[in-house]
Amino acid sequence: MRKNVHLIEHPLIQHKLTLMRDKNTNTKEFRELVKEVSALMVYEISRDTEMKTIEVETPIGKTKGKVMKDEIAVVPILRAGIIMADGIIDLIPTAKVGYIGLYRDPETLEPVEYYCKLPNHLEEYKVFVVDPMLATGGSAIKAIEILKERGAKNIAFVCLISAPEGLEKLSSRFPDIPVYTISIDEKLNSHGYIVPGLGDAGDRLFGTK
Ligand code: PRP
Ligand code: URA
């Protein structure tokens, strides 16, 4: 495994992943699981976050306390990333949110951009790009290219399930960008779906099939 890739194996997360994979899990449950797992992932990822000390006044008196140093921006890749972002924002309500709309061309599997709205001054933020599935890696690479063009310097990619093919492609294109995933699955099938994966994340989240 490349050193930019971090596999998060917390038992609670792995338990919920198994429920997400189950084809009998309905849309409501699936959406809740994606939100919960995304929040738990960010809890794990932020363990090493740099802190700064500030003064705070309690009802009794003044003291010093620690707060996170980095401002956070969460950038979901539409559509499926939206629900991951929801889970993260529950935990970090001050996070700024940007959106990158991409869909995979079903024939070429290449990402097609259809929307982009990002916070200003991206260089000031730690940016979490979120998308449940890293399959061929095309969407993740495209999103990171857009963010870099817009000035982002401190980027991490957070996904649920990844395919070895996509991880390799993403890591060789951006070896310094950390990738957090909760499972590295077997392979891609001939339609670019992750095996065993969990199916089409967008369709399962939004009930579109
Ligand atoms: C899915 C998924 C990723 C992309 C991953 O989105 O949410 O964005 O595919 O595939 P890749 O690594 O091969 O690029 P999809 O394009 O199906 O769009 P949707 O979220 O609108 O359903
Ligand atoms: N997108 C998905 O939603 N699922 C996959 O397995 C691959 C790409």
Side-chain angles (χ1 to χ4, degrees):
M1 195 160 72
R2 291 220 191 201
K3 68 175 189 303
N4 66 312
V5 177
H6 306 272
L7 183 61
I8 302 180
E9 295 182 291
H10 193 289
L12 204 52
I13 291 178
Q14 294 301 320
H15 178 98
K16 289 176 189 287
L17 170 62
T18 303
L19 300 179
M20 281 191 279
R21 288 192 194 273
D22 187 342
K23 66 178 183 182
N24 296 313
T25 296
N26 68 31
T27 299
K28 178 177 184 287
E29 294 160 344
F30 188 82
R31 203 180 287 147
E32 285 167 0
L33 287 162
V34 169
K35 276 183 74 172
E36 289 163 5
V37 168
S38 306
L40 290 168
M41 283 184 84
V42 165
Y43 180 81
E44 282 289 292
I45 293 166
S46 55
R47 267 180 202 283
D48 303 326
T49 301
E50 267 190 78
M51 307 295 284
K52 63 180 180 190
T53 303
I54 61 163
E55 242 186 34
V56 62
E57 199 166 343
T58 77
I60 310 298
K62 282 188 181 160
T63 184
K64 288 195 164 85
K66 288 180 179 174
V67 293
M68 292 203 296
K69 201 167 167 198
D70 290 328
E71 296 284 342
I72 305 289
V74 183
V75 178
I77 300 178
L78 307 182
R79 312 170 271 174
I82 293 177
I83 306 297
M84 284 188 77
D86 280 352
I88 296 169
I89 297 159
D90 281 350
L91 211 61
I92 312 176
T94 52
K96 301 281 186 274
V97 185
Y99 295 94
I100 296 178
L102 300 174
Y103 71 86
R104 284 200 316 180
D105 181 295
E107 301 299 323
T108 64
L109 300 183
E110 288 297 319
V112 181
E113 183 183 343
Y114 62 89
Y115 187 77
C116 185
K117 183 81 183 167
L118 297 169
N120 289 330
H121 307 296
L122 273 178
E123 66 282 358
E124 294 170 7
Y125 293 90
K126 178 165 182 63
V127 181
F128 289 119
V129 186
V130 300
D131 191 328
M133 311 304 273
L134 177 67
T136 66
S139 303
I141 289 172
K142 179 78 183 164
I144 293 168
E145 283 172 352
I146 292 169
L147 287 163
K148 280 181 166 279
E149 275 164 27
R150 289 283 300 268
K153 300 214 170 353
N154 186 356
I155 302 173
F157 185 77
V158 185
C159 63
L160 303 182
I161 300 184
S162 51
E165 296 90 329
L167 269 182
E168 184 51 33
K169 195 166 156 194
L170 177 58
S171 301
S172 51
R173 176 78 175 78
F174 297 115
D176 297 328
I177 291 198
V179 178
Y180 298 93
T181 181
I182 61 174
S183 179
I184 303 171
D185 275 15
E186 237 174 81
K187 59 177 181 183
L188 294 176
N189 70 14
S190 57
H191 302 290
Y193 276 86
I194 300 175
V195 181
L198 49 71
D200 190 303
D203 285 337
R204 293 197 64 188
L205 283 166
F206 299 108
T208 38
K209 254 186 201 154

